[in-house]
Each structure stands twice: as C-alpha cells, then as structure tokens.
Amino acid sequence: MTKTFDVVVVGAGLSGIVAAGRLSEAGLSVALIEARSRFGGRLLTARLPGRVHPIELGPEWFDADGLIHDLLANAGAPIEAAEGTHWRRVGADLRDIQDAADGGHEIHHRLAAIHGPDQPLNAALAECCGDPLLAPSVTMLRHYVEGFHAADPSHLSLHWFNEVERTQPANAAEMRTSTGLDIAVEALLRGLGPRCTAYLGTRVDAVRWRTGSVTVACSSRGTSGTLQARAAVITLPLAVLAGGGVTFSPSLPAKEEAFTRLATGPVVKLNLAFDSPFWWDLPGLGDTLFVQDFSQSIPTWWTTRPTRAPVLVGWAAGPQVARLADLDDIALRRSAVESLSHALHIPEATVTGHLRSIHWHDWQRDPLALGAYSWVRSGGIDAHQLLAEPMARTLFFAGEATCGNGRNATMDGALQSGLRAADEILATR
C-alpha cells in the first residue's frame, strides 16, 4: 500500500519532530517515521514506579539560552543551574579539580595559539605542551576530551576542539530539569498538528529518490509499505547513516567524505537509584556535584544537586567504554558498585546496602543509534556542512551531526538543524 505526502521525515528524534512541526504548520502534509516505539530518539527519559525523580539515560544538560531551555520554560518545567564541587580521586586523595585550573588554562591558551593545518589533538599537545610540569594538566585534558566529547584525542580535530572551547565549552551547558526532558518532547509533539501523520515502530528499509520525488520503503510488524513524497528530511544518526542502516538509491557518494571526517562517540550511561542520598552525609562530600576516578571502569559520577534525589549518574565515554565491553547486567552492576565505592572512598557494602536499582544504556550497542553523539576528526572542521547539504532539492539532512559552531552533540543543535532543514524545503516551494 502506498500513501502520498508532501514530505517524509525519517526519524522522530528532536530534529525530526521539530522539522515535521515546522513543515506541517506551513501547510504541508508530513509523514514522520520512527523505528522506535517512542518519540525522542537519543533523548531517553525513564520514570520509575514510586519515584519522583526521573532517570535520564540520554542527554541531560542544556544551555541557559537555548531552544531546549525555552521549550521547558514555556511548558512550566522547573529549570535549575548545577552547583557544587568537582572532585577527582587520585589514590587516597580527593582533589578539587579547580586546583588544576591554572594549568588547564595554560594548555588551552597554547592550543589556541597553534596555527596552520589541522592536526590531531594528541599531536598538538606533544608540540606545545611537552613541559613535564604540565603533564598532570595534559592528562586531565585528555580525560576531559574522552569523557565530555566521547572522542579519541589521537584523532580529534585540533581546530574543532578550539572552536568548541571558544563557542560551546562544557560549562556552557549547566542547566537541568528535575521533571524530565521528555517534557520537551511532549511540547514538540503538541506542535505537529493534524497534517502530520506519525508512524512509530516503523523501520525505513530503503529510500529511492530522484529530483522532486522520494519513495520510502518501510516495514512494521511484518507488514511492508511505501510512502511517496516530493521531498524527504533524513535525520538518522551519523553512524546509522554512514553504516548503511538505510539503503539509498541512488547512493549518497556526496556524503561519504563527511562520513570519514566525522565520528560517533560511544557512551555508557548509568543511573543508580538508592534508598536515600547517603553521600550528602559523607565527610567533605555534602556539596559534591561531580566526582571522578579515572582508575575505574566508570570514571565519572554526578549528583542531582541542587535537587536532593537519591540518584547518582555514572558515565563512561570515548575510549573509556572499552573497559566495559561485553559486560552483562551482573558484571556491569559489579563494575558500577566497585567504581563508585572507590571514587567515594567507602566500602562496597555501603553502596550495595543503599542501592535499590540500576538503569543503564549502552548507546554504542543501540542498533538505532550506534553511538551517542558526533565529534570531528582531524581535517573535518567543515564536514558538517557536507553532511547537511541538500541533494537535488529533494533530500534534506538534519540531526546534531549536521551542526557547526560547536552545536553538534547538543540537543539545541539537533533542534536548530531540524528547523534549518524544514526552512530549506519551504524555500524551494
């Protein structure tokens, strides 16, 4: 059976939903196709029975002046700025990360002063920061790149790193909501309107296209069908698009250079739910926001401050994820308990005594994502433009990996890209 629309939007993550909303609001008929049984894509909020605080297994942090902030604010969701101390465990010592800030600033300054052709970050560090006195700060920077960018510093673009640190550093995204980011998804869905038809649990198998015509072959619960349109917005995650998760005919050779110059970082994110926030009462840790221990397989933990919720979030990203490869639920739980007890310098029995449940998502193993978010390889500073470029005024591309100015890997970037792709289609009418 074939159904006809003006536009087909492939993927109902943030970029797909907002693109569909903009297009349907402009009077176009839109089919919004999503392989998952839910909306939101890599935004994944879970709600546990009997618990008020939601579990965020996908993105969590956002800017104070971005689109996600505005969506949540308009929906009446409480928005809080993160506050608290950042600790790093080194052996038996717990050190305030701010103690190393001066060395970190010096390294950033030296990296920003490197001009000429792009190069991998590790090569740049060897060039500018070989002073033994800077070695601890260099190590911290590499850990930051692995954890925050989910990237490999051996391949990460120096030019892109400098751009991100200039326009969108980690401390720019310091806002959270205690009511769940799915509130933003619900707000976007309310804007779809009657001219948008959503197909959840529907997998796109192939996209056949020529100028002015797109045929999308899809399947759901063993039943196949096609959707016909004049244009399509493709919002597939970078790794899925590059890995051939959907067959395009003709193929997309114009995008292959972008695929080789961008990468998708792996992330394992855990939420540990306890009977009480017992760490508030540990000596010296009552104001903790982050605690890191890079000797452990799950090196980064954060609290829900200023909200006093009995939840701790564990995070491993980039090359750090290799230590968690192929772990089953039991082994991952054991690793989480061991990592947290070591970071807090408390007995494992204390952690397990308070622990009530553990919830996690390995984004690299998720077949509909194949990773968490994108980063830029050396020489790829403009690759997002190649990925975003429309093809024959028929195929349009959105998603966080198509964003520049440091906005890739962010929810705001995903939303901006969806609006941009929709406006590109409207400009062709």
Side-chain angles (χ1 to χ4, degrees), residues 1 8 42 90 133 150 175 252 270 284 296 324 337 340 356 427:
M1 180 181 214
V8 173
R42 284 170 279 177
V90 181
L133 294 177
M175 312 303 293
L252 307 177
L270 308 93
Q296 299 301 301
L324 301 174
V337 169
L340 181 59
R356 293 297 174 264

Side-chain angles (χ1 to χ4, degrees), residues 24-192:
S24 60
E25 182 182 24
L28 301 184
S29 60
V30 179
L32 177 60
I33 312 175
E34 172 55 50
R36 301 182 191 276
S37 59
R38 59 173 179 82
F39 295 100
R42 284 170 279 177
L43 193 158
L44 179 53
T45 304
R47 300 184 180 277
L48 306 181
R51 288 184 175 265
V52 175
H53 197 275
I55 297 295
E56 298 290 2
L57 294 170
E60 180 174 341
W61 304 86
F62 54 90
D63 289 7
D65 59 354
L67 296 176
I68 283 290
H69 176 280
D70 294 345
L71 273 173
L72 292 167
N74 291 336
I79 297 173
E80 301 170 322
E83 60 178 35
T85 306
H86 293 228
W87 298 106
R88 174 163 297 187
R89 172 73 61 186
V90 181
D93 297 329
L94 199 60
R95 302 176 184 175
D96 189 333
I97 291 180
Q98 295 303 315
D99 291 344
D102 291 341
H105 292 156
E106 173 64 20
I107 290 174
H108 282 276
H109 176 75
R110 293 189 183 193
L111 290 172
I114 297 177
H115 302 290
D118 199 7
Q119 59 181 307
L121 180 64
N122 269 353
L125 288 170
E127 174 184 328
C128 74
C129 303
D131 186 341
L133 294 177
L134 292 176
S137 295
V138 168
T139 297
M140 284 184 62
L141 181 72
R142 289 196 177 102
H143 287 155
Y144 163 70
V145 166
E146 292 177 355
F148 181 71
H149 293 299
D152 184 345
S154 298
H155 301 286
L156 183 77
S157 162
L158 169 65
H159 287 177
W160 178 77
F161 176 77
N162 285 335
E163 177 186 65
V164 171
E165 292 305 303
R166 186 172 61 252
T167 62
Q168 194 69 19
N171 59 9
E174 59 179 5
M175 312 303 293
R176 288 184 290 183
T177 178
S178 58
T179 57
L181 281 170
D182 54 351
I183 300 297
V185 175
E186 294 170 3
L188 289 174
L189 292 174
R190 288 193 292 271
L192 290 181

